[in-house]
């Protein structure tokens, strides 16, 4: 090894600035503790510190930051939902996403692509028209487009789908975008840490202390912490946490698989979704196709991915994009989706004082990251549900006041 290089290595004075803090001991007490160091938890910590000046905040993550669904999704950001509640909520999230790189001083590779949800039947067209009307009512850029418009924007697509289920039209949502998912977690984490938030990785919550109906603390594999406010912002583990405080939710966990191909020259600028074919696909800035399908058919607590998933997905993808036939799949994985009966999240206060819930994100947690963090921070500080999340309260399941968002799912479930 050249001497100059060796000297540089041994000098140790040119270390990169740390992105995250070194491991540190847990304090005995915090004002607010957040369970889950994914995008939502870190965003909430960031807004608690930045907008509300709450300093004694700890984020507890059982694994590593962004290692759950934040790092496992297919990075799509959109606001073309079906219900007025969903549309307004995701619109605010998309607006925050647009300025987030600047806000967090980190390049999130936010890339506005436009988003097509294909309709292969008259009933699908009707749902797209409905969504377009609700979207437009709230100022969201969505419209129904015909085959010619799709062909012009995506010439590589076979609109006849090999003759099986021809595309009749689509819901076009110009603001649809992709963003680098783990950078979102890193950016929020760094911003929170710089403002005094403690981030504790490899710290698993094993119990929650409730006295009367008030949260008083949380037990972890590294000791007990006192706190009067505790926010659960986990995905795939919500029932384990809610059981600790004796709370029931209708959440059931289904795996959601995804995969990525080898990189190829850019040919697909837009994000393409087909509910009927159970496929969504976009091309990353590196040229890979990032793809996924519906959630797996059975309840399962697992992040294993299967050959059957790739086989079925490839079958459908080839109907749409025959030119991808020789592409190799490089990686595949799964996340765990907390599904609710109405496909809307569960957010806000709970019957346990000081215990707040951000859960039930199903297949769209990533796109909600900024607004979830912001509204949950407000909710915990003010001990009342932020206006935007009131429709998503847990009690809607007993009040029979559901927010039916199933029709806005990317793929059929
Ligand atoms: O809702 O856009 C979406 C989505 C894509 C992948 C999973 N959900």
């Amino acid at each position: 090894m050249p001497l100059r290089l060796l000297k540089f290595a041994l000098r140790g004075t040119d270390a990169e600035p740390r992105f995250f803090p070194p491991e540190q001991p847990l304090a005995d007490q915090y004002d607010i503790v957040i369970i889950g160091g994914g995008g939502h938890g870190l965003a909430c910590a960031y807004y608690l510190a930045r907008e509300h000046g709450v300093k004694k905040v700890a984020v507890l993550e059982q694994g590593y930051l962004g290692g759950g669904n934040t790092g496992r999704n297919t990075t799509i950001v959109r606001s073309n939902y079906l219900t007025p509640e969903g549309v307004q909520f995701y619109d605010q999230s998309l607006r925050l996403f647009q300025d987030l790189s600047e806000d967090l001083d980190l390049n999130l590779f936010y890339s506005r692509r436009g988003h097509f949800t294909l309709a292969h039947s008259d009933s699908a067209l009707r749902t797209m028209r409905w969504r377009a009307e609700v979207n437009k009512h709230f100022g969201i850029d969505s419209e129904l487009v015909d085959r010619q418009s799709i062909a012009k924007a995506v010439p590589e697509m076979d609109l006849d789908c090999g003759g099986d289920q021809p595309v009749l039209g689509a819901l076009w949502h110009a603001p649809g975008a992709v963003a680098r998912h783990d950078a979102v977690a890193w950016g929020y984490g760094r911003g929170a840490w710089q403002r005094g938030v403690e981030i504790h990785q490899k710290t698993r919550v094993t119990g929650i202390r409730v006295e009367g109906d008030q949260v008083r603390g949380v037990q972890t594999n590294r000791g007990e912490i006192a706190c009067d406010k505790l926010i659960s912002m986990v995905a795939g583990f919500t029932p384990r946490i809610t059981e600790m405080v004796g709370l029931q939710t209708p959440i059931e966990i289904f795996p959601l698989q995804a995969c990525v191909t080898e990189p190829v020259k850019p040919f697909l600028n837009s994000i393409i979704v087909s509910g009927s074919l159970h496929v969504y696909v976009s091309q990353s800035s590196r040229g890979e196709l990032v793809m996924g399908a519906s959630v797996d058919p059975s309840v399962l607590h697992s992040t294993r991915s299967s050959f059957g998933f790739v086989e079925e997905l490839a079958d459908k993808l080839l109907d749409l994009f025959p030119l991808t036939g020789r592409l190799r799949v490089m990686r595949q994985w799964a996340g765990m989706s907390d599904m609710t009966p109405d496909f809307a999240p569960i957010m806000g206060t709970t019957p346990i004082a000081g215990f707040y819930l951000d859960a039930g994100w199903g297949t769209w947690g990533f796109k909600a990251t900024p607004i979830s963090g912001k509204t949950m921070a407000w909710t915990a500080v003010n001990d009342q549900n932020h206006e935007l999340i009131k429709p998503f309260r847990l009690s809607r399941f007993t009040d029979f006041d559901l927010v039916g968002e199933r029709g806005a799912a990317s793929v059929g479930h």
Side-chain angles (χ1 to χ4, degrees):
M1 179 186 288
L3 196 58
R4 224 167 67 82
L5 202 56
L6 197 61
K7 263 181 21 205
F8 181 82
L10 294 176
R11 203 166 53 218
T13 52
D14 305 286
E16 270 188 58
R18 284 196 77 100
F19 214 92
F20 294 115
E23 212 173 292
Q24 61 196 123
L26 284 176
D28 296 336
Q29 181 273 336
Y30 295 92
D31 295 334
I32 301 187
V33 172
I34 296 169
I35 311 174
H40 287 215
L42 296 166
C44 182
Y46 173 80
Y47 292 115
L48 280 171
R50 197 190 80 168
E51 298 195 342
H52 304 282
V54 186
K55 282 285 185 288
K56 277 204 99 184
V57 177
V59 178
L60 311 181
E61 166 54 49
Q62 65 173 346
Y64 60 94
L65 296 191
N69 285 0
T70 299
R72 293 166 186 274
N73 64 80
T74 42
T75 81
I76 298 169
V77 176
R78 64 184 173 92
S79 59
N80 57 353
Y81 279 73
L82 178 66
T83 65
E85 297 86 348
V87 167
Q88 292 174 88
F89 180 78
Y90 287 97
D91 177 42
Q92 291 302 319
S93 206
L94 195 141
R95 286 169 193 269
L96 288 171
F97 257 119
Q98 284 169 342
D99 295 329
L100 204 53
S101 292
E102 209 175 319
D103 190 0
L104 299 177
D105 193 20
L106 184 67
N107 188 353
L108 306 178
F109 294 88
Y110 187 83
S111 173
R112 181 177 158 128
R113 299 293 188 82
H115 183 285
F116 283 105
T117 310
L118 306 178
H120 303 256
S121 64
D122 287 337
S123 63
L125 267 183
R126 206 164 42 242
T127 307
M128 301 309 155
R129 183 168 293 122
W130 181 356
R131 278 170 71 180
E133 290 308 317
V134 177
N135 287 192
K136 280 191 246 180
H137 181 76
F138 291 102
I140 311 292
D141 190 356
S142 289
E143 60 179 321
L144 205 61
V145 294
D146 59 15
R147 273 170 69 95
Q148 286 72 24
S149 312
I150 307 168
K152 198 162 158 217
V154 196
E156 288 78 9
M157 192 194 296
D158 176 6
L159 288 172
D160 292 329
C161 285
D164 225 13
Q165 297 191 61
V167 175
L168 305 183
L171 177 67
W172 165 244
H173 177 52
V178 290
R180 172 94 197 261
H181 48 9
D182 28 29
V184 172
W186 302 335
Y188 273 126
R190 184 181 64 173
W193 173 49
Q194 286 168 341
R195 287 165 177 80
V197 169
E198 287 185 21
I199 298 172
H200 295 280
Q201 303 185 72
K202 291 182 276 175
T203 306
R204 182 181 160 90
V205 169
T206 53
I208 295 173
R209 188 152 59 86
V210 178
E211 288 170 9
D213 65 354
Q214 165 70 54
V215 163
R216 292 293 180 205
V218 57
Q219 287 118 21
T220 79
N221 59 334
R222 297 174 56 204
E224 185 158 345
I225 308 166
C227 66
D228 288 343
K229 292 192 175 185
L230 180 63
I231 316 177
S232 176
M233 306 191 82
V234 303
F237 295 90
T238 300
R240 190 171 74 76
I241 300 295
T242 48
E243 268 165 29
M244 292 177 189
V245 292
L247 205 62
Q248 273 199 327
T249 74
I251 289 174
E252 287 189 305
I253 299 165
F254 291 78
L256 179 65
Q257 303 192 42
C259 65
V260 68
T261 67
E262 62 186 321
V264 287
K265 272 193 254 177
F267 72 93
L268 183 60
N269 193 48
S270 325
I271 303 156
I272 307 293
V273 171
S274 167
S276 306
L277 298 181
H278 302 282
V279 59
Y280 42 86
V281 55
S282 67
Q283 190 169 22
S284 76
S285 51
R286 283 193 299 217
E288 307 143 328
L289 292 190
V290 184
M291 306 181 284
S294 311
V295 291
D296 286 1
S298 329
V299 169
L300 188 65
H301 206 242
S302 162
T303 52
R304 292 189 67 177
S305 187
S306 62
F307 178 71
F309 154 73
V310 178
E311 197 178 32
E312 265 181 50
L313 181 70
D315 185 35
K316 302 298 184 204
L317 183 75
L318 286 173
D319 280 348
L320 280 177
F321 292 106
L323 85 167
T324 60
R326 304 198 72 79
L327 275 187
R328 276 175 297 195
V329 170
M330 302 303 278
R331 298 188 302 284
Q332 62 182 101
W333 64 90
M336 290 187 285
S337 301
D338 288 352
M339 304 303 295
T340 60
D342 60 359
F343 280 54
I346 301 173
M347 298 182 76
T349 56
T350 69
I352 317 294
F355 183 73
Y356 307 91
L357 200 52
D358 171 271
W361 288 101
T363 59
W364 37 52
F366 176 65
K367 52 187 79 30
T369 304
I371 197 62
S372 289
K374 209 173 164 87
T375 52
M376 287 304 295
W378 191 96
T379 296
V381 166
N382 294 287
D383 199 28
Q384 56 177 297
N385 288 339
H386 186 284
E387 201 56 37
L388 264 185
I389 69 168
K390 280 185 181 164
F392 307 132
R393 68 198 183 282
L394 175 61
S395 62
R396 75 176 184 276
F397 296 105
T398 42
D399 301 343
F400 302 105
D401 192 14
L402 303 189
V403 184
E405 200 61 271
R406 191 182 193 124
S410 264
V411 283
H413 293 307

